[in-house]
Amino acid sequence: MTPHELADAYVDFTKQVDLHHALWAGQLDYLESWSDPSHHATQAVAERYVEFRDAALAMTEESSPRDREILRTIAATAQLGSVWADLEYDLSFPNPNVGLVGLLIPFLPRYPLVTQDDGERYLAKLAAFPTFAEGMARRAENAAERGIVPLRSH
């Protein structure tokens, strides 16, 4: 795999798992889905970020200066993603100001739907929201049982 192929794979992966960015950017890739908020799923995402970090670091030394910067960027952001993947669901999403509720109201209606396929995938996303919300509620309850209540710190 070349550094550019790794970068393409990394960008595609982040589009799949970064719900905040998708809402902010009105991103249509993977529009029809929500992330799985279960602890098991977020741990798998964290592990995939570590794999990207390690792959980027392994390529860094024998790459051109330009490619080294791309690889260092992947490694640094993947390291952050590996830590944030799990914490985001316990600390950020439940927060009423900066979390999921704060994002949905202004950003969910702003997806730039152009084609019928865009519209159908958007409707699928809306239809899947109750299942995602139930998962988020279970996640918040489990976090509270562990003493993680983000509203205490905001």
Side-chain angles (χ1 to χ4, degrees):
M1 178 177 279
T2 69
H4 292 267
E5 290 169 338
L6 180 67
D8 289 344
Y10 181 66
V11 167
D12 187 61
F13 171 73
T14 61
K15 285 179 179 181
Q16 292 177 49
V17 300
D18 189 348
L19 179 60
H20 269 119
H21 179 72
L23 288 169
W24 274 93
Q27 186 176 320
L28 296 178
D29 298 341
Y30 309 103
L31 171 65
E32 64 281 355
S33 61
W34 295 95
S35 302
D36 179 348
S38 70
H39 181 69
H40 175 74
T42 57
Q43 285 298 303
V45 168
E47 290 168 10
R48 185 70 179 119
Y49 272 119
V50 168
E51 291 171 7
F52 276 108
R53 180 203 65 201
D54 293 347
L57 291 174
M59 289 184 203
T60 301
E61 289 305 314
E62 62 234 20
S63 297
S64 70
R66 179 173 177 254
D67 287 348
R68 265 194 298 264
E69 293 309 311
I70 292 169
L71 294 166
R72 287 179 182 142
T73 300
I74 292 169
T77 58
Q79 176 62 35
L80 176 62
S82 72
V83 173
W84 187 239
D86 201 42
L87 292 175
E88 179 175 41
Y89 286 87
D90 289 336
L91 298 177
S92 179
F93 280 161
N95 184 285
N97 296 318
V98 297
L100 190 60
V101 172
L103 286 173
L104 285 179
I105 294 170
F107 294 112
L108 195 56
R110 292 176 52 187
Y111 279 101
L113 307 176
V114 176
T115 67
Q116 181 173 343
D117 181 61
D118 292 344
E120 289 169 359
R121 291 170 47 231
Y122 180 77
L123 291 174
K125 184 176 202 72
L126 295 178
F129 182 74
T131 302
F132 175 74
E134 289 171 9
M136 285 299 303
R138 280 191 303 279
R139 177 80 187 228
E141 289 168 356
N142 292 338
E145 289 171 2
R146 295 188 326 263
I148 300 172
V149 183
L151 300 179
R152 289 183 183 169
S153 61
H154 288 76

